[in-house]
Amino acid sequence: MWTQAVEARPFAAGRLVCFPHAGGSPYFYRSWGKALTDVEVHTVCYPGRADRIAEPPATDLKAMARDLAEELRPLPDGRPTAFFGHSMGAFVAYEVARLWQADGAEVSHFFASAARAPHTATGTPERAAEVDDAAVLRTLAQLGGTDAELLDNPVFLELVMPYVGADFRMVAGYAGGPDALLDCPVTVLRGEADTRVSPAEAAAWWEQTRGPVTLHTLAGGHFYLTDEPPLRIVEDALRAS
C-alpha cells in the first residue's frame, strides 16, 4: 500500500495527503493526523522503508509517481483532496498532481514545503550516478533532519542507507518541466535559514501553477517543520480553498 490514514475520519470535510522527504517515512507526519481535526490525513510510504522495508527502493522519481498516482485516486465520496510535500516529497506530489489533472481529477490545494519549483530542477542521470553514500551522509549532517548519533551508528546506516541513497539519487536525477502547470492554489513554505532552497527558487512556484500562490517564510532551516509544524497555515489554506 502506498498510503495509510493516520486516523480514519470518514466525516471529515476533506483529505490531506502528505509526501515525505528523501529518506523520510510516513511516521514523519504521525502527529498531524490528530492535530488537523478537520481533515483526514493520509501519509505516503515509498518502497524500501517502514511497512515496505522488504521492497527494493525506487530509482526513478517520475516512474514512482506514476505508480503512486494509479493507486491514489480521488475516492467517490467527492471530498476534496490536498497534497503536502516536503523537499523531495514536493516533487513527488507535483508529479502525482499533474498526472491527476491529465486524467481529469483535481487537487484542491498544493503545499510545497522546503522545495524549489520543479522547473528549476535540472537533474540528470549523470548527476544521480555521482551521488555516493559519503555525499549522502554529508548532506544529512548539514540538513539536520537526522540525529547526529544515528549517523555514526553502523547498524542504523546498514538499515537506512539503501533507501536514503536511492532517494538522494532520484532527486539528483530529477528534472521538471515548465509546461506542466498545476490548476490549484499553491502554498509555498520555506525556512528562512534553509541553505538548500533559495528564496528565488521557492518563489518560482508562481510559474508552476495557474492558481494563486502564497509564500510563507518561517523560522528554521530545511527541516523547520520538525519542531514547529505549520498546522495553522495548513488549516487556514484548506478552509479558504
Side-chain angles (χ1 to χ4, degrees):
M1 291 289 291
W2 281 96
T3 63
Q4 59 187 35
V6 176
E7 187 172 297
R9 288 204 181 99
F11 301 107
R15 297 180 191 80
L16 177 68
V17 182
C18 297
F19 297 73
H21 52 280
S25 79
Y27 307 130
F28 187 71
Y29 297 104
R30 180 182 296 172
S31 66
W32 291 36
K34 295 185 180 298
L36 296 171
T37 57
D38 291 339
V39 294
E40 184 177 76
V41 176
H42 293 247
T43 57
V44 173
C45 184
Y46 309 132
R49 71 215 68 197
D51 293 343
R52 305 180 68 184
I53 191 69
E55 301 178 36
T59 57
D60 183 288
L61 191 147
K62 290 184 178 180
M64 183 177 74
R66 286 194 294 271
D67 291 340
L68 177 52
E70 286 183 11
E71 178 179 310
L72 187 64
R73 284 282 185 253
L75 298 182
D77 58 16
R79 290 191 289 172
T81 299
F83 287 175
F84 185 105
H86 181 71
S87 196
M88 180 190 83
F91 289 160
V92 181
Y94 163 78
E95 292 294 334
V96 173
R98 72 184 192 86
L99 289 169
W100 269 27
Q101 285 185 184
D103 199 34
E106 294 183 359
V107 175
S108 61
H109 201 103
F110 190 95
F111 296 89
S113 171
R116 60 172 61 194
H119 71 276
T120 70
T122 55
T124 64
E126 291 75 22
R127 289 183 183 178
E130 293 172 357
V131 177
D132 57 18
D133 287 353
V136 172
L137 288 174
R138 286 195 301 271
T139 303
L140 288 176
Q142 292 167 359
L143 294 179
T146 306
D147 192 318
E149 292 184 0
L150 291 177
L151 296 179
D152 290 328
N153 185 321
V155 176
F156 172 77
L157 293 180
E158 182 180 1
L159 179 66
V160 306
M161 281 307 296
Y163 68 80
V164 174
D167 286 359
F168 274 71
R169 282 183 279 275
M170 281 201 299
V171 174
Y174 174 74
D179 55 340
L181 303 181
L182 301 177
D183 291 327
C184 60
V186 174
T187 296
V188 182
L189 306 102
R190 176 185 175 272
E192 61 182 352
D194 191 344
T195 58
R196 299 283 292 184
V197 181
S198 71
E201 289 168 338
W205 280 94
W206 286 94
E207 304 171 46
Q208 207 75 64
T209 181
R210 300 180 186 90
V213 176
T214 305
L215 178 62
H216 295 272
T217 301
L218 306 171
H222 194 68
F223 282 94
Y224 71 90
L225 73 175
T226 301
D227 296 325
E228 290 289 338
L231 300 176
R232 179 62 63 84
I233 292 173
V234 171
E235 288 176 328
D236 290 347
L238 292 177
R239 291 193 189 103
S241 295

